[in-house]
Amino acid sequence: MAPQIVSAASTKYDKHPESSSRELFSEAAVQAFEETSISPGDLDAVYVGNFMGDLIEDQGHMGALLADHVGAREAASIRIESACASGGATLRQAVQAIESGAADVVLAGGVEQMSVADIEHVTDALANAADDVYENEQGLTFPGIYALMARRYMHEFDATNEDLAAVSVKNHNNAVDNPLAQFQKELSVNDVLESKPIATPLVLHDACPVSDGASVVVLVSDEFAVDHDLDVSARILGTGQSSDAVALQDRAAITRTPAAERAADAAYADADITPEDVDVVEVHDCFTIAEILALEALGFYEQGEGTRGAVEGETAIDGQLPVNTSGGLLGKGHPVGVTGIGQVVELTKQLEGEHPNQVDSAEVALAHNVGGSGASTTVTILGGA
Amino acid sequence: MAPQIVSAASTKYDKHPESSSRELFSEAAVQAFEETSISPGDLDAVYVGNFMGDLIEDQGHMGALLADHVGAREAASIRIESACASGGATLRQAVQAIESGAADVVLAGGVEQMSVADIEHVTDALANAADDVYENEQGLTFPGIYALMARRYMHEFDATNEDLAAVSVKNHNNAVDNPLAQFQKELSVNDVLESKPIATPLVLHDACPVSDGASVVVLVSDEFAVDHDLDVSARILGTGQSSDAVALQDRAAITRTPAAERAADAAYADADITPEDVDVVEVHDCFTIAEILALEALGFYEQGEGTRGAVEGETAIDGQLPVNTSGGLLGKGHPVGVTGIGQVVELTKQLEGEHPNQVDSAEVALAHNVGGSGASTTVTILGGA
């Protein structure tokens, strides 16, 4: 019963202060249902990834609320929160619902409305993904956390600010041709290096923006797809998920992300493939350093060599392993609870041969989604229909 | 691969302003692991039901945080939020993780810390389970919502304040002998009727209290239990879940809870039993009227006749269908994201023959957990080992 993706859609990621979460989610869902013969009433379950609805919109209970808004009032409905890995975790629960036999037709979506709040409030809300006792109360928020990781990585492996900037340049430039991306402006290495410092060694263009948006995928069981003669867009070949200490101080090392290593190992085993089989990748580049750490954790580069991907053009759209052809979190944007689903929407387009930054002969795709500074990580491996 | 419960434990539900969520959760988990040969390092996944950690403790990302605190830092970890049905939804996802083959050993727990905030803040947080646009912003919070349901039920079916009070009396008196219960004081019908009005026709003793606490169950696959020669406490025979409109105004009727009817039908079908097979029940009596509606939705009484359960003693510990032998939410307390797990802890004790209010020959047990005013409902059916 390998789950099949029959439809996938996203709103544009951007600041949408005029739209509530229920409006954004409905917009993505309506678009998804236009592309399949399944209707919302067919849904057995609706899974919603959302991180900060309680804090920004005074709205919890998003599972039932959004199931109703997409026309599936009677479906089993659940909100999943694993910080910025909420989307990836949501998809994995939807996959398990199908694989367990509990559901045949499932919507897995994410939504986040961040821009209606002022930036201090958003920073406070994001900090709920860190350890409140040992990090937040000491004044350490995410730019600072990732700056510590970047600084240590630069020290251990002789990496430079230019190495980090190369990731930002690649991803921003990929975003230019993606109509769903928040930023559509080319950047040079100098543009990045000259942007204002946010937490040394990180500068503004090392960081993803505040974004609103929604993404959904509709999944069905293999049997349901056959019985209803559905057009399949992509297949879920395997998933993996692992955790780590939430507080950076509790990790054995801060230049590796072991939860990602374990999630990747589990997903490769589940899909019965190796890293060499992967054709196109979306990783969680909330900061430039995060993409470099991801490439190493996923087995694409040895430790200390992940910088080579962007610097040498190996992770460019026409490189040997295209990474973040969507623009990534840096260029496409990062509505936090949505991102893991949005990555799968982008990769589904790659596997269908319909991506604006299409990679040649993409047959196997991988998404890597992180919560906090690495405490929650999901890896999803997709194959073409 | 029917999941088996090998251990189940709860903290006392009470006001624990000195304890954080991480401390409460760890207390319940430590106790659970004392009762089984499984150790935390064996866990493949940790599911955490929590409703308001973001709002009360500035702490999200509870899945990874609490997995680490119970000694399972590397497990897949997820927080589930379906308002006050978070616990039931958490258990159902844990069951699906096992039934899908993704996990063999899973901890499903819930935690809530409510008493460190002042009551206005808690009321605001609880209101996140309702529709912010169509209910909260109009000044309608949960006592008012359930008062509307009670008033209409009393009108349609000639029910009285005494009928509601009988539920409160039964459940409070059941709580007296439960050391885990928040209240341990007998009440008479007059005590209830003379308590202060909170939202007419409901009075104080028609409502559950604000509670802190944690509950956990450890689940394993059938194969794992056999391979490791584990003592099994109970079996999951079936689960069901359904949803409804979040806002009361969007329901076809407010004296029925159709999501509970659908969840029950699904769970009975999954377990291959009928309501007549059930020996002992825990229902979501956040207000007295909710127990009456639950008994009807679950198929134990015809509509309009659910009042008979408490009034005639049919749902007493020695009645034909004992309901809320724990004391229920009214007597035991209601740490909101925990309750669905806590019900399963109580029923596991009944099936083991070790409950302080033991029911004779309890072989099949049912738990009913509700989010909001009925928009999320889970039903779990358990059998003895």
Side-chain angles (χ1 to χ4, degrees), chain B residues 306-337:
Chain B
T307 50
R308 218 177 61 219
V311 171
E312 303 290 338
E314 294 170 356
T315 53
I317 295 165
D318 59 356
Q320 63 195 50
L321 183 73
V323 174
N324 286 331
T325 62
S326 68
L329 286 62
L330 291 165
K332 191 191 179 203
H334 181 32
V336 288

Side-chain angles (χ1 to χ4, degrees), chain B residues 4 17 42 70 76 79 81 110 184 187 196 198 222 228 239 264 286 309 321 326 333 348 367:
Chain B
Q4 319 278 316
D42 294 325
V70 304
R79 171 197 169 201
E81 184 267 309
Q184 275 140 350
L187 290 183
K196 66 179 177 185
I198 56 167
D222 213 0
H228 292 75
T239 68
C286 50
L321 183 73
S326 68
T348 297

Side-chain angles (χ1 to χ4, degrees), chain A residues 317-329:
Chain A
I317 295 165
D318 60 355
Q320 63 196 51
L321 183 73
V323 174
N324 285 332
T325 63
S326 69
L329 285 60

Side-chain angles (χ1 to χ4, degrees), chain A residues 47 76 78 102, chain B residues 87-97 239-241 378-379:
Chain A
Y47 286 81
I78 289 176
Chain B
T90 295
L91 186 85
R92 191 159 185 266
Q93 292 307 301
V95 166
Q96 290 180 11
T239 68
Q241 182 172 359
T378 64
V379 172

